[in-house]
Amino acid sequence: MKRNKKGFTIVELVIVIAVIAILAAVLIPTFSGLVRRANESADLQAVRNMNTALAASEDTPDHISAVWEILKEAGYDAQNYAPLVSGCSFYWDGEINRVLYCDENDTVLFPAEYKDRTKTAFWEGLKGVTELTADQLTDGAKIALAAGVEVSVDLSQLNQSVNIYLNGSTLKSSALQINSEEAEVTLSGGNLELGKQIELKKGTLILDGVSSNVPIANRGGNLTIDNGEKQTITGNGTLYLGGGTTVINGGAFCQISSGKSIEASGGDLIVNGGSFYATNYCIEVKNNSNVTINDGNFEGQNTSALVQCSAGSVEINGGNFSYAGTGGVPVSCAGGNVTVNGGTFTTQGDCVTASSGEITINGGTFIGANGQSNAFLKSTGGQITVPAGSKASFEMFSATGSSGGILGGNASGDTKLIKIEGGTFKAKNEFAKGSTLSAYQITGGEIFVKIKNTSFADQGTYSAEPDAEEYYRFTPNAA
C-alpha cells in the first residue's frame, strides 16, 4: 500500500525564506524611520512647549535650577526627561533663555531660528552634568550637577566666576581656593567634600545650602553663607576670618572640641541668623575685627564664652544666647568695645563679664536660670554701663538666700566699674554680691530685690515694705 507524503521541498522553503528576507529588508527600515520620525516629532513638540513656558514666565531664569522650576510648573520633569531620539540632547541656552534640540555633535536641530548657534559656557544640559572637568569652569559658567551623583573636579585655583548648583549631589576636590578680586563663586544646594579647609583670599564666595566637611578661612574676600536649614560646617574652628567681609544668613556651626566655632581676627562679620554651638567660643573677636550680630541661636556649655571680644568691636542687636552650666558666660569682654542693643541671654553663671575694655547695654533680656550662683554683670577690670534710657531687663530666678546677685565685681579702690543708670532689675536675692561694693555706681534704673543690702545705703534707699510679690524697691539717690 502506497502512502502519499505532502510537504515543502527544499527549493520551496528557500524561496519562502528569500521572500521574507526581501520584505524585511524593505519594511524594517521603513518602520524604523517611522518610529524615529514619531520620536523626533515628540521631541520637537516638547521643545516647543518648554520654550513656550520659558517665554510665558514672568521671571527670566539665570540658572538651570530656575529653569527646572519653570518647566516643572509646565508639566516637565526636566531633570529626568530625555529626548526620545537616541544620541540627541536638550540644552538650555542661558543667553537667549531657550531650550535647544541638538544631535550627537551638539549641532542645533531645532528651533530652526537658532540653528546657527554653537555651544558655549551658557549652554546647560537639562539633566545636569555627571562629570566635570576644570576646563568647563570657564569665566561666567553656570553648571548644575545631576541629582544623586558624586563629581570630582580640581577647585584648587578657582579664580574665575562660576555658579555651580549641586542639586543635592556631592562635589569633591582636594582643595578650594579663590585668589582673584574678579572671581565670584556660588555653590548651592548640596554637599562639598574637600581635602583641606576652604581658602578665600580675594574675590567672593557664596555658599547657599551647602554642607561642608572642612573649615573655611576668609583672609580678605567677601563670604556669604545662606540657608540655615542645610548649611553645616563642623570641626575645630569651623570659620576663620582674617579680613574682608563675611555675612552669615543661616547655617549650623558646631565646634565639639577645644577650639572655637568662629574666630574673627580681621575684617567684618555680620550674623543675621544661624545656629552656633561650642564648648569653648562660638565667636571669638580679636585683632580689631568688627562683628555685628542681628540674630541667631548661640549655645554652649561649661567653658569660656559664647561671644568673646578681646579687641575690635561687637554689636549685638538680637539673637538667643544660652549657656548651660556655670563655667562660661554668654558675653565676655577682654578688650575692645561691646554694645548690646537686644537679644535674650540665659545662664546659670555669670552673664556679662568684663576684664578689660567697655560693655554698654542699651537693651536685651537677661535671665538667670534657677540655681544661678554668680552675677549677671561682673567686672574684674573692664567698664560695664547700663545707661539712662536703657530698655534692658534683668531677672534672676535663684532662690532667696543663694549666693548669686545681679552685680558682681572684684575691683579695688573707688573704680566704679559697673554703672547702673537705667534698665529694669529684679532679683530673688540681693542686687549685688561681693565685698568690693566700690565697684558699683547706681544712679538710676528700676530695681527690685528680695534681700536688702545695707551696704548700698549711701547710693539709695529701700522701700519699707515689700510689694505683693515680696520684692523691695531700691531707689537710687540720683534717680
Side-chain angles (χ1 to χ4, degrees):
M1 183 176 179
K2 292 183 178 181
R3 294 183 180 180
N4 296 323
K5 296 182 179 180
K6 297 181 179 180
F8 294 105
T9 65
I10 292 177
V11 173
E12 290 172 331
L13 289 174
V14 169
I15 292 172
V16 170
I17 293 171
V19 171
I20 293 174
I22 292 170
L23 292 174
V26 173
L27 294 178
I28 290 177
T30 302
F31 179 75
S32 298
L34 290 174
V35 171
R36 180 181 176 87
R37 284 194 292 273
N39 288 339
E40 186 177 66
S41 178
D43 288 344
L44 299 184
Q45 188 58 46
V47 173
R48 289 189 189 96
N49 293 341
M50 288 188 284
N51 283 334
T52 298
L54 291 174
S57 176
E58 295 180 357
D59 300 321
T60 300
D62 61 355
H63 197 276
I64 189 64
S65 59
V67 175
W68 288 338
E69 292 301 318
I70 294 172
L71 298 183
K72 185 176 182 180
E73 294 180 1
Y76 287 93
D77 182 7
Q79 296 183 68
N80 298 308
Y81 188 81
L84 298 176
V85 176
S86 177
C88 290
S89 303
F90 292 136
Y91 288 100
W92 174 67
D93 187 338
E95 281 190 308
I96 59 176
N97 188 29
R98 289 293 183 269
V99 175
L100 306 178
Y101 182 55
C102 302
D103 64 13
E104 62 273 12
N105 297 316
D106 293 333
T107 300
V108 178
L109 302 176
F110 186 81
E113 60 267 34
Y114 303 123
K115 284 189 175 182
D116 60 342
R117 296 189 68 81
T118 56
K119 189 175 182 181
T120 68
F122 293 96
W123 285 29
E124 297 186 63
L126 285 190
K127 291 177 66 66
V129 301
T130 57
E131 296 181 354
L132 189 60
T133 65
D135 293 337
Q136 294 174 265
L137 302 178
T138 57
D139 194 47
K142 296 179 180 180
I143 299 169
L145 303 187
V149 299
E150 291 187 354
V151 177
S152 297
V153 66
D154 183 10
L155 303 174
S156 60
Q157 295 296 326
L158 193 56
N159 294 325
Q160 58 275 7
S161 296
V162 297
N163 187 328
I164 304 177
Y165 177 57
L166 304 180
N167 196 20
S169 293
T170 299
L171 184 63
K172 296 183 176 182
S173 179
S174 60
L176 170 55
Q177 179 172 295
I178 303 171
N179 192 23
S180 171
E181 294 285 0
E182 292 73 29
E184 182 173 324
V185 177
T186 299
L187 303 175
S188 58
N191 305 305
L192 190 61
E193 290 189 11
L194 303 173
K196 56 184 178 181
Q197 73 177 16
I198 298 170
E199 290 282 345
L200 176 60
K201 297 181 178 180
K202 299 177 183 178
T204 298
L205 173 62
I206 300 173
L207 299 176
D208 184 359
V210 173
S211 177
S212 172
N213 68 321
V214 297
I216 303 174
N218 181 5
R219 303 188 187 279
N222 298 302
L223 172 65
T224 300
I225 299 175
D226 290 324
N227 197 342
E229 295 299 321
K230 299 178 182 178
Q231 178 69 44
T232 304
I233 302 175
T234 60
N236 179 18
T238 58
L239 181 58
Y240 170 82
L241 311 178
T245 299
T246 299
V247 179
I248 299 175
N249 296 318
F253 299 81
C254 179
Q255 176 272 321
I256 55 177
S257 56
S258 60
K260 69 278 297 183
S261 285
I262 299 176
E263 179 180 332
S265 294
D268 300 324
L269 170 64
I270 301 172
V271 180
N272 296 319
S275 298
F276 305 82
Y277 176 84
T279 54
N280 199 334
Y281 302 124
C282 282
I283 300 178
E284 183 182 19
V285 184
K286 53 186 181 181
N287 295 345
N288 297 318
S289 185
N290 301 305
V291 175
T292 301
I293 300 174
N294 296 317
D295 201 358
N297 294 302
F298 301 80
E299 297 183 32
Q301 186 171 2
N302 293 333
T303 60
S304 300
L306 299 181
V307 178
Q308 165 81 16
C309 182
S310 300
S313 67
V314 176
E315 180 179 320
I316 301 175
N317 298 315
N320 296 300
F321 303 79
S322 177
Y323 219 115
T326 59
V329 298
V331 180
S332 175
C333 183
N337 298 282
V338 176
T339 301
V340 180
N341 297 318
T344 300
F345 306 82
T346 304
T347 182
Q348 291 183 356
D350 297 332
C351 192
V352 177
T353 66
S355 60
S356 183
E358 298 181 5
I359 299 177
T360 302
I361 303 176
N362 297 314
T365 300
F366 301 80
I367 301 171
N370 189 32
Q372 191 224 4
S373 60
N374 294 340
F376 266 165
L377 307 179
K378 183 176 182 180
S379 172
T380 58
Q383 180 74 58
I384 301 177
T385 302
V386 183
S390 172
K391 303 298 182 181
S393 65
F394 303 80
E395 188 164 5
M396 181 175 290
F397 291 99
S398 294
T400 301
S402 68
S403 60
I406 286 183
L407 306 184
N410 298 318
S412 59
D414 190 18
T415 54
K416 310 301 182 188
L417 292 178
I418 301 179
K419 296 182 179 181
I420 305 301
E421 301 167 358
T424 301
F425 302 83
K426 198 171 185 179
K428 284 189 175 181
N429 46 25
E430 297 180 49
F431 182 58
K433 301 292 287 187
S435 58
T436 316
L437 300 179
S438 60
Y440 317 131
Q441 178 177 298
I442 307 171
T443 59
E446 300 285 328
I447 303 170
F448 302 89
V449 297
K450 287 202 170 184
I451 299 178
K452 298 179 180 181
N453 189 328
T454 56
S455 299
F456 288 107
D458 62 331
Q459 298 197 43
T461 58
Y462 292 96
S463 59
E465 300 294 333
D467 59 17
E469 297 182 18
E470 299 185 349
Y471 283 94
Y472 294 94
R473 177 165 185 163
F474 179 80
T475 304
N477 294 330

